[in-house]
Amino acid sequence: MPLPMFQTDVPANEDLTMTIAGKIFGIEVARHELVRFADGELGYMTRRFDYRNGLKIPQEDFCQLSGRTRKTHGSDYKYNASYEECAHIVRRFCPAAKIELPKLFRRVLFCYLFSNGDAHLKNFSIYASRQGDAVLTPAYDLLSTSLHIPNESPLALDLFADGHFTQRFEELGFFSKADFLELGDRFGLTADSVKAMLTEFPQSEAKVVAAVEASLLSADAKTNYLARFHDRVRAVMQ
C-alpha cells in the first residue's frame, strides 16, 4: 500500500481549506486555528460547536439521522449513500429546509472543487440553533484529501440516490456542470441559483491562489493543491 503523500501538510491543508470555505465562499465553518508546537510541528485545532453556554446541545450526524450504523449497514455505512439522500434528510428534519438545502448543496460543490473525497455521512450534522430550530451545523473536516491519498475518489458519496449518471458524465468520465445542475434540481434549487454558485469558483480563483500561497503548506503541496483546484474548476465549467 503506498504511503500517504505530503503527510506533514495535513494540518495546514485542513486549516487552509476551512479558511477558504469560510472567508472566500461564505460557508459557515467551525472555529479553527493552526498552531506550531515546541518541536516545530504544526497542529490543527478546532473548537467544539455542540456546546453552548457550557451545556451540550442536541446534535446528530447524517448517519444517526438516517439510522445507519456499522451493525446495520456494514463497514462502509458512512459511504453507502448519496448526496441526494442527504437532501432528503434535511427536508425531513429541518423545518426551514428551503434555507438549509442551498447551504448543503454549496458544501457538496465545494468538496468536489477542492478534491475532498471524504465528505461522508458523518461529516454532515444537524443541531439546534439558538432559536431552537434544527439547522446544519458549521462545516467541519474540510480538506483536500486527494493531496494525501493516491487515487482518492472524486466524492465520498454518489450524487444521485438511484445511482444515475448523466449523459454528460458518460461522455466526459468526470462530473461537470450538467451533473451539478441535475443535483441542484433534485435538491429543489433553480438552475439559475446553481449556475451562480458554479461561476463563483472561477471568479474567485485569484483569491484562492493568494490564500494558498500565503498558507503554511510546503512548496510542492501548494503546487499540487492548486493544480487540483484548477482542474476541478475546468471540469464544472464544461
Side-chain angles (χ1 to χ4, degrees), residues 9 105 128:
D9 286 292
F105 182 86

Side-chain angles (χ1 to χ4, degrees), residues 17-137:
T17 309
M18 291 279 286
T19 298
I20 290 173
K23 293 188 175 180
I24 297 178
F25 295 106
I27 296 171
E28 183 185 6
V29 298
R31 292 181 63 181
H32 59 95
E33 188 172 354
L34 193 62
V35 298
R36 191 176 294 279
F37 297 114
D39 62 2
E41 288 194 16
L42 292 172
Y44 175 80
M45 300 180 67
T46 186
R47 175 171 289 184
R48 293 185 64 161
F49 46 73
D50 57 342
Y51 278 82
R52 193 174 294 142
N53 299 323
L55 300 175
K56 185 77 169 64
I57 61 175
Q59 174 182 319
E60 292 186 280
D61 63 48
F62 281 20
C63 273
Q64 294 169 303
L65 293 169
S66 60
R68 284 177 168 85
T69 66
R70 187 180 299 275
K71 183 176 181 180
T72 60
H73 287 75
S75 59
D76 289 335
Y77 71 103
K78 297 184 293 185
Y79 300 95
N80 288 333
S82 69
Y83 293 112
E84 183 181 356
E85 291 175 76
C86 291
H88 294 327
I89 292 171
V90 169
R91 289 193 189 97
R92 179 181 176 188
F93 292 100
C94 297
K98 287 186 176 180
I99 295 174
E100 300 305 304
L101 283 168
K103 296 178 184 178
L104 176 64
F105 182 86
R106 180 183 289 272
R107 295 183 191 186
V108 174
L109 180 58
F110 179 90
C111 286
Y112 180 65
L113 267 294
F114 284 87
S115 299
N116 180 2
D118 202 41
H120 52 67
L121 291 176
K122 292 193 75 66
N123 281 337
F124 297 94
S125 297
I126 288 172
Y127 73 169
S129 71
R130 292 186 181 277
Q131 292 73 38
D133 300 318
V135 298
L136 289 171
T137 68

